[in-house]
Amino acid sequence: KLSIQRGTPILCGEPDRTTGNIIYSTKSGAKRIFQMCDVPIPMSAYDIQDKDEFELALARLIVNNLDVNVWIFKIDDEFGARGHASLHVDSLKAIVELRKRKVKMNDNIIVRLQSTLSKVLPKKVKIAQPTLWTGGWDQYIKEFCRIGGVIECAPPLCTLN
């Protein structure tokens, strides 16, 4: 209405699930656009909408990037860090072991790590704004999967509280 009143064109309409333009107005959508344009992005997984898919994607990312200590989770449609959470893996026993062994990674290792992560995530994940997620990890991951989201590595010099 304001646009019409002022005679100012708007560049895009409201995100609308029925027309499909929501896919580009999310964090996952941005990742897709950046990849199409060959813009470098952090190691990540996106368009995640299932808890098993989340754990498997995280396990694959960790196994293929053992040097990364912090992984960040972002709910697609949240803003102001409302949907952010992080996991520090440097102190997790399974990760420490994998780093020591330096074996060739395979599907068996990924499946075992996925199993470990399903037990560890509820205890170790730090939710950026815990007052919004009073149900803790269970509430957070349920919303993450309902809306969709992104897992990405944190820059090495990034400090997260």
Side-chain angles (χ1 to χ4, degrees), residues 132-152:
L132 297 174
W133 307 99
T134 55
W137 172 251
D138 290 336
Q139 181 188 11
Y140 177 86
I141 193 63
K142 185 176 179 182
E143 185 68 3
F144 185 104
C145 294
R146 187 181 74 79
I147 299 295
V150 170
I151 301 170
E152 65 183 27

Side-chain angles (χ1 to χ4, degrees), residues 106-160:
N106 57 44
D107 288 340
N108 187 31
I109 291 172
I110 292 170
V111 169
R112 284 195 325 217
L113 181 57
Q114 180 183 4
S115 174
T116 300
L117 288 171
S118 70
K119 296 170 192 154
V120 168
L121 288 170
K123 301 173 208 157
K124 297 287 186 179
V125 167
K126 290 184 180 181
I127 297 173
Q129 296 193 21
T131 55
L132 297 174
W133 307 99
T134 55
W137 172 251
D138 290 336
Q139 181 188 11
Y140 177 86
I141 193 63
K142 185 176 179 182
E143 185 68 3
F144 185 104
C145 294
R146 187 181 74 79
I147 299 295
V150 170
I151 301 170
E152 65 183 27
C153 70
L157 300 175
C158 181
T159 351
L160 300 172

Side-chain angles (χ1 to χ4, degrees), residues 10 12-26 77:
I10 54 177
C12 180
E14 283 290 314
D16 179 5
R17 291 188 189 279
T18 59
T19 62
N21 72 349
I22 186 113
I23 63 172
Y24 298 112
S25 62
T26 64
D77 69 349

Side-chain angles (χ1 to χ4, degrees), residues 23-147:
I23 63 172
Y24 298 112
S25 62
T26 64
K27 290 167 183 62
S28 291
K31 295 269 186 204
R32 253 186 263 110
I33 291 169
F34 291 152
Q35 277 194 322
M36 286 189 289
C37 298
D38 291 326
V39 174
I41 59 173
M43 289 155 298
S44 58
Y46 53 88
D47 288 327
I48 299 168
Q49 307 217 315
D50 174 80
K51 188 176 177 187
D52 289 334
E53 180 187 2
F54 178 95
E55 292 167 354
L56 181 59
L58 180 57
R60 281 190 176 131
L61 284 166
I62 291 171
V63 162
N64 292 314
N65 303 282
L66 281 174
D67 58 323
V68 174
N69 287 323
V70 181
W71 293 92
I72 301 172
F73 316 134
K74 300 176 181 180
I75 296 176
D76 267 342
D77 69 349
E78 289 290 352
F79 58 92
R82 292 171 45 98
H84 290 191
S86 62
L87 175 66
H88 295 253
V89 298
D90 50 338
S91 64
L92 296 180
K93 185 179 173 185
I95 306 305
V96 171
E97 249 339 276
L98 286 173
R99 287 176 176 171
K100 280 182 190 174
R101 290 192 336 196
K102 296 187 181 188
V103 296
K104 184 176 180 190
M105 299 303 162
N106 57 44
D107 288 340
N108 187 31
I109 291 172
I110 292 170
V111 169
R112 284 195 325 217
L113 181 57
Q114 180 183 4
S115 174
T116 300
L117 288 171
S118 70
K119 296 170 192 154
V120 168
L121 288 170
K123 301 173 208 157
K124 297 287 186 179
V125 167
K126 290 184 180 181
I127 297 173
Q129 296 193 21
T131 55
L132 297 174
W133 307 99
T134 55
W137 172 251
D138 290 336
Q139 181 188 11
Y140 177 86
I141 193 63
K142 185 176 179 182
E143 185 68 3
F144 185 104
C145 294
R146 187 181 74 79
I147 299 295

